[in-house]
Amino acid sequence: MRVFITGASGWIGSAAVDELLAHGYDVTGLARSDTSASALEAKGATVLRGDLDDLDSLRRGSQDADAVIHLANKHDWANPAESNRAERAAVETIASTLVGSNRPFLLASGVAGLAQGRPSTEQDPSPFSGPEAPRGGTENLALDYLDRGVKSISLRFAPTVHGIGDHGFISLIVAAAREKGVSGFVGDGTSGWAAVHRTDAATMIRLGLEKAPAGSLLHAVGETSVATKDIAEAIGRGLRLPVESIDPADAVTHFGFIGGFFALDLSSTSTITQHLFDWTPTGPTLLDDITAGAYFEV
């Protein structure tokens, strides 16, 4: 099977490329730089040069593939409207290219904001629709193509997909601890984040490609809820810094934009996904990775 992957050299995408190549797939990865292209070629993947704004490349990659996995995102936190615009345009381009083919279209989404006061599940529909919504409302946009002959499948990732080399949300919290000289958590620290190890996420992507029915909402979640206070304490031990509560009103000042997320409960389950695939996450836990020093090399 020929699989076209956007974000193929990114944190999750590079692990997905490794997983698919190891299982005999013919992988084409979108690459916007010489460095990314060389890394993909060294693995044995085919390279298609372009980026998220190069809609012709997205169209060409989708036309030539038996399945598309869309993992790229601009992640422009200073200009989220631009990220949402680019994401929506990319998903519209890929989905419209696949109309009438019944080929799989797996796209990245998230578990954040799906439920309040409890862990979210795969049965929770996304409340985000339209161009102004987070990620441009692209999960619901892709699902709108189901009745047009596109096998859309949502890959909902935990807020932290962790491991050695991760430069995501946890690395930003670690950076704030270094800068402020204190490892902070927001309020009483009982809010919890779902988490998944990068290798487990890659396995789930492959299994979703192989087994998921059209319209599936899959959760890449290995741990339902890791208390934010426990995260802060592990960081404090690793950096030998005191651990303190940060007033919710000061969260963004202390942590930067990530403080708004660190204050939220972003817990989620993956029971349905695990049952569907007979999938059991086996990677290290988030606290294991923090304790092992995955986030402390400068």
Side-chain angles (χ1 to χ4, degrees), residues 1 3 5 8 10-27 40 43-45 69 71 106 155 157 197-211 277 279-280 282:
M1 176 183 281
V3 182
I5 303 183
W11 174 243
I12 299 174
S14 57
V17 168
D18 292 343
E19 175 75 9
L20 292 174
L21 289 173
H23 285 81
Y25 286 87
D26 182 353
V27 176
L40 288 169
K43 293 180 177 184
I69 302 175
L71 302 175
L106 287 70
L155 306 170
F157 293 100
H197 193 267
R198 178 173 175 249
T199 55
D200 289 323
T203 300
M204 195 218 69
I205 292 170
R206 175 180 60 81
L207 291 172
L209 174 63
E210 294 172 350
K211 300 181 179 182
F277 298 150
W279 171 61
T280 302
T282 59

Short mmCIF file of all heavy atoms in Angstrom, two decimals, residues 1 3 5 8 10-27 40 43-45 69 71 106 155 157 197-211 277 279-280 282:
data_model
loop_
_atom_site.label_atom_id
_atom_site.label_comp_id
_atom_site.label_asym_id
_atom_site.label_seq_id
_atom_site.Cartn_x
_atom_site.Cartn_y
_atom_site.Cartn_z
N MET A 1 0.84 -1.20 0.00
CA MET A 1 0.00 0.00 0.00
C MET A 1 0.87 1.24 0.00
O MET A 1 1.83 1.35 0.77
CB MET A 1 -0.92 0.00 1.23
CG MET A 1 -1.77 1.26 1.35
SD MET A 1 -2.80 1.33 2.85
CE MET A 1 -4.14 0.25 2.35
N VAL A 3 1.31 4.99 0.95
CA VAL A 3 0.76 5.91 1.95
C VAL A 3 1.47 7.25 1.84
O VAL A 3 2.71 7.32 1.88
CB VAL A 3 0.93 5.35 3.37
CG1 VAL A 3 0.30 6.30 4.38
CG2 VAL A 3 0.30 3.97 3.49
N ILE A 5 2.11 10.81 3.64
CA ILE A 5 2.07 11.37 4.99
C ILE A 5 2.54 12.82 4.96
O ILE A 5 3.65 13.12 4.51
CB ILE A 5 2.96 10.58 5.97
CG1 ILE A 5 2.56 9.10 6.01
CG2 ILE A 5 2.87 11.17 7.37
CD1 ILE A 5 3.35 8.27 6.99
N ALA A 8 5.69 14.32 7.83
CA ALA A 8 6.42 13.05 7.90
C ALA A 8 7.74 13.15 8.65
O ALA A 8 8.26 12.13 9.12
CB ALA A 8 6.67 12.52 6.49
N GLY A 10 8.06 15.29 11.28
CA GLY A 10 7.74 15.85 12.57
C GLY A 10 7.85 14.83 13.69
O GLY A 10 8.22 13.67 13.48
N TRP A 11 7.49 15.26 14.90
CA TRP A 11 7.65 14.43 16.09
C TRP A 11 6.83 13.14 15.99
O TRP A 11 7.37 12.04 16.17
CB TRP A 11 7.27 15.24 17.31
CG TRP A 11 7.23 14.48 18.60
CD1 TRP A 11 6.16 14.27 19.40
CD2 TRP A 11 8.34 13.84 19.25
NE1 TRP A 11 6.51 13.53 20.52
CE2 TRP A 11 7.86 13.26 20.44
CE3 TRP A 11 9.69 13.70 18.93
CZ2 TRP A 11 8.67 12.55 21.32
CZ3 TRP A 11 10.51 13.00 19.82
CH2 TRP A 11 10.00 12.43 20.98
N ILE A 12 5.57 13.26 15.68
CA ILE A 12 4.73 12.07 15.54
C ILE A 12 4.93 11.45 14.17
O ILE A 12 5.01 10.23 14.02
CB ILE A 12 3.25 12.41 15.78
CG1 ILE A 12 3.03 12.96 17.19
CG2 ILE A 12 2.36 11.19 15.57
CD1 ILE A 12 1.61 13.47 17.46
N GLY A 13 5.00 12.28 13.14
CA GLY A 13 5.09 11.78 11.78
C GLY A 13 6.32 10.92 11.53
O GLY A 13 6.23 9.89 10.84
N SER A 14 7.46 11.31 12.08
CA SER A 14 8.68 10.51 11.85
C SER A 14 8.57 9.13 12.48
O SER A 14 9.04 8.14 11.93
CB SER A 14 9.91 11.25 12.37
OG SER A 14 9.78 11.56 13.75
N ALA A 15 7.89 9.06 13.63
CA ALA A 15 7.67 7.75 14.26
C ALA A 15 6.68 6.92 13.44
O ALA A 15 6.83 5.70 13.31
CB ALA A 15 7.16 7.93 15.68
N ALA A 16 5.67 7.59 12.87
CA ALA A 16 4.71 6.88 12.03
C ALA A 16 5.37 6.35 10.77
O ALA A 16 5.08 5.22 10.33
CB ALA A 16 3.55 7.81 11.68
N VAL A 17 6.27 7.13 10.19
CA VAL A 17 7.01 6.66 9.01
C VAL A 17 7.81 5.41 9.35
O VAL A 17 7.79 4.42 8.61
CB VAL A 17 7.93 7.78 8.47
CG1 VAL A 17 8.91 7.22 7.44
CG2 VAL A 17 7.11 8.90 7.86
N ASP A 18 8.52 5.44 10.47
CA ASP A 18 9.30 4.27 10.89
C ASP A 18 8.39 3.05 11.06
O ASP A 18 8.74 1.94 10.63
CB ASP A 18 10.01 4.56 12.21
CG ASP A 18 11.10 5.61 12.09
OD1 ASP A 18 11.53 5.87 10.96
OD2 ASP A 18 11.49 6.17 13.14
N GLU A 19 7.25 3.25 11.70
CA GLU A 19 6.32 2.14 11.96
C GLU A 19 5.79 1.56 10.65
O GLU A 19 5.74 0.33 10.47
CB GLU A 19 5.16 2.65 12.82
CG GLU A 19 4.05 1.65 13.07
CD GLU A 19 4.39 0.58 14.09
OE1 GLU A 19 5.45 0.70 14.75
OE2 GLU A 19 3.60 -0.38 14.21
N LEU A 20 5.42 2.39 9.72
CA LEU A 20 4.86 1.91 8.46
C LEU A 20 5.92 1.24 7.60
O LEU A 20 5.67 0.19 6.99
CB LEU A 20 4.21 3.06 7.70
CG LEU A 20 2.94 3.63 8.34
CD1 LEU A 20 2.47 4.86 7.59
CD2 LEU A 20 1.83 2.59 8.40
N LEU A 21 7.10 1.82 7.53
CA LEU A 21 8.18 1.19 6.76
C LEU A 21 8.53 -0.18 7.34
O LEU A 21 8.78 -1.13 6.58
CB LEU A 21 9.41 2.09 6.75
CG LEU A 21 9.31 3.38 5.92
CD1 LEU A 21 10.54 4.24 6.14
CD2 LEU A 21 9.16 3.05 4.43
N ALA A 22 8.53 -0.28 8.66
CA ALA A 22 8.86 -1.56 9.30
C ALA A 22 7.83 -2.63 8.99
O ALA A 22 8.13 -3.83 9.10
CB ALA A 22 8.98 -1.37 10.81
N HIS A 23 6.63 -2.21 8.60
CA HIS A 23 5.57 -3.18 8.29
C HIS A 23 5.31 -3.26 6.79
O HIS A 23 4.24 -3.73 6.36
CB HIS A 23 4.29 -2.82 9.04
CG HIS A 23 4.36 -3.16 10.49
ND1 HIS A 23 4.99 -2.36 11.42
CD2 HIS A 23 3.89 -4.24 11.19
CE1 HIS A 23 4.90 -2.92 12.61
NE2 HIS A 23 4.25 -4.06 12.49
N GLY A 24 6.28 -2.83 6.00
CA GLY A 24 6.23 -3.09 4.57
C GLY A 24 5.46 -2.11 3.72
O GLY A 24 5.21 -2.37 2.54
N TYR A 25 5.09 -0.97 4.26
CA TYR A 25 4.35 0.02 3.48
C TYR A 25 5.29 0.83 2.60
O TYR A 25 6.47 1.04 2.93
CB TYR A 25 3.58 0.95 4.41
CG TYR A 25 2.37 0.33 5.04
CD1 TYR A 25 2.48 -0.39 6.23
CD2 TYR A 25 1.12 0.42 4.45
CE1 TYR A 25 1.37 -0.98 6.82
CE2 TYR A 25 0.00 -0.16 5.02
CZ TYR A 25 0.13 -0.87 6.21
OH TYR A 25 -0.96 -1.46 6.79
N ASP A 26 4.77 1.28 1.48
CA ASP A 26 5.47 2.20 0.59
C ASP A 26 5.07 3.62 1.00
O ASP A 26 3.92 4.02 0.81
CB ASP A 26 5.06 1.91 -0.85
CG ASP A 26 5.76 2.79 -1.87
OD1 ASP A 26 6.48 3.72 -1.45
OD2 ASP A 26 5.59 2.56 -3.08
N VAL A 27 6.00 4.35 1.60
CA VAL A 27 5.68 5.64 2.22
C VAL A 27 6.25 6.80 1.41
O VAL A 27 7.43 6.79 1.04
CB VAL A 27 6.23 5.70 3.66
CG1 VAL A 27 5.98 7.09 4.27
CG2 VAL A 27 5.59 4.62 4.52
N LEU A 40 14.15 11.55 5.40
CA LEU A 40 13.17 10.61 4.87
C LEU A 40 13.80 9.63 3.88
O LEU A 40 13.53 8.43 3.90
CB LEU A 40 12.01 11.36 4.22
CG LEU A 40 11.07 12.09 5.17
CD1 LEU A 40 10.13 13.01 4.40
CD2 LEU A 40 10.25 11.09 5.98
N LYS A 43 15.73 6.84 5.44
CA LYS A 43 14.91 5.77 6.00
C LYS A 43 14.36 4.82 4.94
O LYS A 43 13.89 3.73 5.25
CB LYS A 43 13.72 6.38 6.75
CG LYS A 43 14.09 7.14 8.00
CD LYS A 43 12.83 7.70 8.67
CE LYS A 43 13.16 8.40 9.97
NZ LYS A 43 11.95 8.86 10.69
N GLY A 44 14.36 5.27 3.68
CA GLY A 44 13.79 4.47 2.62
C GLY A 44 12.44 4.94 2.14
O GLY A 44 11.76 4.25 1.38
N ALA A 45 12.05 6.15 2.57
CA ALA A 45 10.78 6.72 2.12
C ALA A 45 11.01 7.55 0.86
O ALA A 45 12.11 8.04 0.60
CB ALA A 45 10.17 7.60 3.22
N ILE A 69 -2.30 10.09 5.37
CA ILE A 69 -2.25 10.37 6.80
C ILE A 69 -1.77 11.81 6.95
O ILE A 69 -0.64 12.13 6.60
CB ILE A 69 -1.31 9.39 7.54
CG1 ILE A 69 -1.76 7.95 7.33
CG2 ILE A 69 -1.28 9.73 9.03
CD1 ILE A 69 -0.82 6.92 7.93
N LEU A 71 -0.70 14.68 9.25
CA LEU A 71 -0.20 14.97 10.60
C LEU A 71 0.42 16.36 10.71
O LEU A 71 0.73 16.80 11.82
CB LEU A 71 0.85 13.92 11.01
CG LEU A 71 0.38 12.46 11.01
CD1 LEU A 71 1.56 11.54 11.30
CD2 LEU A 71 -0.73 12.25 12.02
N LEU A 106 -6.71 9.58 7.15
CA LEU A 106 -6.53 9.70 8.59
C LEU A 106 -5.95 11.07 8.88
O LEU A 106 -4.96 11.48 8.25
CB LEU A 106 -5.59 8.63 9.12
CG LEU A 106 -6.10 7.18 9.20
CD1 LEU A 106 -6.28 6.57 7.81
CD2 LEU A 106 -5.14 6.31 10.01
N LEU A 155 -7.67 10.85 14.18
CA LEU A 155 -6.64 10.42 15.14
C LEU A 155 -6.55 11.49 16.21
O LEU A 155 -5.94 12.53 16.02
CB LEU A 155 -5.29 10.26 14.44
CG LEU A 155 -5.24 9.37 13.21
CD1 LEU A 155 -3.89 9.51 12.51
CD2 LEU A 155 -5.49 7.91 13.59
N PHE A 157 -5.05 12.83 19.41
CA PHE A 157 -3.86 12.62 20.22
C PHE A 157 -4.00 13.26 21.60
O PHE A 157 -4.64 14.30 21.77
CB PHE A 157 -2.64 13.20 19.51
CG PHE A 157 -2.28 12.47 18.25
CD1 PHE A 157 -2.64 12.97 17.01
CD2 PHE A 157 -1.63 11.27 18.31
CE1 PHE A 157 -2.34 12.30 15.86
CE2 PHE A 157 -1.30 10.57 17.16
CZ PHE A 157 -1.67 11.08 15.92
N HIS A 197 2.96 7.62 24.85
CA HIS A 197 4.33 7.59 24.36
C HIS A 197 4.31 7.61 22.83
O HIS A 197 3.42 7.08 22.18
CB HIS A 197 5.07 6.34 24.85
CG HIS A 197 6.55 6.41 24.62
ND1 HIS A 197 7.14 5.89 23.50
CD2 HIS A 197 7.55 6.96 25.35
CE1 HIS A 197 8.45 6.10 23.55
NE2 HIS A 197 8.71 6.75 24.67
N ARG A 198 5.32 8.24 22.27
CA ARG A 198 5.41 8.43 20.82
C ARG A 198 5.33 7.11 20.05
O ARG A 198 4.65 7.04 19.02
CB ARG A 198 6.73 9.14 20.53
CG ARG A 198 7.05 9.40 19.08
CD ARG A 198 8.30 10.26 19.06
NE ARG A 198 8.81 10.51 17.72
CZ ARG A 198 9.95 10.01 17.26
NH1 ARG A 198 10.68 9.19 18.03
NH2 ARG A 198 10.36 10.30 16.03
N THR A 199 5.97 6.07 20.54
CA THR A 199 5.94 4.80 19.82
C THR A 199 4.55 4.17 19.86
O THR A 199 4.11 3.54 18.89
CB THR A 199 6.96 3.81 20.42
OG1 THR A 199 6.71 3.67 21.84
CG2 THR A 199 8.38 4.32 20.21
N ASP A 200 3.84 4.34 20.97
CA ASP A 200 2.47 3.83 21.05
C ASP A 200 1.56 4.59 20.10
O ASP A 200 0.65 4.00 19.48
CB ASP A 200 1.94 3.94 22.48
CG ASP A 200 2.60 2.94 23.43
OD1 ASP A 200 2.86 1.81 23.00
OD2 ASP A 200 2.84 3.30 24.59
N ALA A 201 1.77 5.89 19.99
CA ALA A 201 0.98 6.68 19.06
C ALA A 201 1.20 6.21 17.62
O ALA A 201 0.25 6.09 16.83
CB ALA A 201 1.32 8.16 19.18
N ALA A 202 2.45 5.92 17.28
CA ALA A 202 2.75 5.45 15.93
C ALA A 202 2.09 4.11 15.64
O ALA A 202 1.57 3.88 14.54
CB ALA A 202 4.26 5.35 15.75
N THR A 203 2.09 3.22 16.63
CA THR A 203 1.43 1.93 16.46
C THR A 203 -0.06 2.11 16.23
O THR A 203 -0.67 1.46 15.37
CB THR A 203 1.67 1.03 17.69
OG1 THR A 203 3.07 0.82 17.85
CG2 THR A 203 0.96 -0.31 17.52
N MET A 204 -0.67 3.02 16.99
CA MET A 204 -2.10 3.25 16.83
C MET A 204 -2.42 3.80 15.45
O MET A 204 -3.45 3.47 14.86
CB MET A 204 -2.61 4.19 17.91
CG MET A 204 -4.12 4.19 18.03
SD MET A 204 -4.82 5.84 18.36
CE MET A 204 -4.52 6.68 16.81
N ILE A 205 -1.56 4.65 14.92
CA ILE A 205 -1.78 5.18 13.57
C ILE A 205 -1.81 4.04 12.56
O ILE A 205 -2.69 3.96 11.70
CB ILE A 205 -0.68 6.20 13.22
CG1 ILE A 205 -0.83 7.45 14.08
CG2 ILE A 205 -0.75 6.57 11.74
CD1 ILE A 205 0.35 8.41 13.97
N ARG A 206 -0.83 3.14 12.66
CA ARG A 206 -0.81 2.01 11.71
C ARG A 206 -2.03 1.13 11.86
O ARG A 206 -2.66 0.73 10.86
CB ARG A 206 0.46 1.16 11.92
CG ARG A 206 0.49 -0.10 11.04
CD ARG A 206 1.73 -0.91 11.26
NE ARG A 206 1.89 -1.37 12.64
CZ ARG A 206 1.26 -2.44 13.14
NH1 ARG A 206 0.41 -3.15 12.40
NH2 ARG A 206 1.48 -2.80 14.40
N LEU A 207 -2.41 0.83 13.08
CA LEU A 207 -3.58 -0.01 13.30
C LEU A 207 -4.85 0.68 12.81
O LEU A 207 -5.76 0.03 12.28
CB LEU A 207 -3.70 -0.36 14.78
CG LEU A 207 -2.63 -1.29 15.33
CD1 LEU A 207 -2.75 -1.41 16.85
CD2 LEU A 207 -2.71 -2.67 14.69
N GLY A 208 -4.92 1.98 12.98
CA GLY A 208 -6.07 2.72 12.46
C GLY A 208 -6.15 2.61 10.95
O GLY A 208 -7.24 2.45 10.38
N LEU A 209 -5.01 2.71 10.29
CA LEU A 209 -4.97 2.57 8.84
C LEU A 209 -5.43 1.18 8.42
O LEU A 209 -6.19 1.03 7.44
CB LEU A 209 -3.54 2.82 8.35
CG LEU A 209 -3.26 2.58 6.87
CD1 LEU A 209 -4.08 3.53 6.01
CD2 LEU A 209 -1.76 2.75 6.59
N GLU A 210 -5.01 0.17 9.15
CA GLU A 210 -5.30 -1.21 8.77
C GLU A 210 -6.71 -1.68 9.14
O GLU A 210 -7.31 -2.48 8.42
CB GLU A 210 -4.28 -2.14 9.43
CG GLU A 210 -2.86 -1.94 8.93
CD GLU A 210 -1.83 -2.74 9.71
OE1 GLU A 210 -2.17 -3.31 10.78
OE2 GLU A 210 -0.66 -2.79 9.26
N LYS A 211 -7.24 -1.17 10.26
CA LYS A 211 -8.43 -1.80 10.81
C LYS A 211 -9.62 -0.89 11.07
O LYS A 211 -10.74 -1.38 11.25
CB LYS A 211 -8.07 -2.49 12.14
CG LYS A 211 -7.02 -3.57 12.03
CD LYS A 211 -6.75 -4.20 13.40
CE LYS A 211 -5.71 -5.31 13.32
NZ LYS A 211 -5.49 -5.95 14.66
N PHE A 277 -8.74 -2.51 18.43
CA PHE A 277 -7.50 -2.99 17.80
C PHE A 277 -6.78 -4.08 18.58
O PHE A 277 -5.73 -4.55 18.14
CB PHE A 277 -6.52 -1.81 17.64
CG PHE A 277 -7.00 -0.71 16.76
CD1 PHE A 277 -6.58 0.59 16.99
CD2 PHE A 277 -7.87 -0.94 15.71
CE1 PHE A 277 -6.99 1.62 16.18
CE2 PHE A 277 -8.30 0.09 14.90
CZ PHE A 277 -7.86 1.37 15.14
N TRP A 279 -5.20 -3.32 21.18
CA TRP A 279 -4.00 -2.48 21.32
C TRP A 279 -3.78 -2.15 22.79
O TRP A 279 -4.68 -1.65 23.46
CB TRP A 279 -4.19 -1.18 20.52
CG TRP A 279 -3.15 -0.13 20.75
CD1 TRP A 279 -1.81 -0.23 20.51
CD2 TRP A 279 -3.37 1.21 21.23
NE1 TRP A 279 -1.18 0.97 20.82
CE2 TRP A 279 -2.11 1.86 21.26
CE3 TRP A 279 -4.51 1.91 21.64
CZ2 TRP A 279 -1.97 3.18 21.68
CZ3 TRP A 279 -4.37 3.23 22.06
CH2 TRP A 279 -3.11 3.85 22.08
N THR A 280 -2.60 -2.45 23.29
CA THR A 280 -2.23 -2.12 24.66
C THR A 280 -0.96 -1.27 24.63
O THR A 280 0.10 -1.76 24.23
CB THR A 280 -1.97 -3.38 25.50
OG1 THR A 280 -3.14 -4.20 25.50
CG2 THR A 280 -1.61 -3.01 26.93
N THR A 282 2.44 0.20 25.48
CA THR A 282 3.52 -0.45 26.23
C THR A 282 4.71 0.48 26.49
O THR A 282 5.66 0.07 27.15
CB THR A 282 4.03 -1.69 25.47
OG1 THR A 282 4.49 -1.29 24.17
CG2 THR A 282 2.92 -2.73 25.31
#
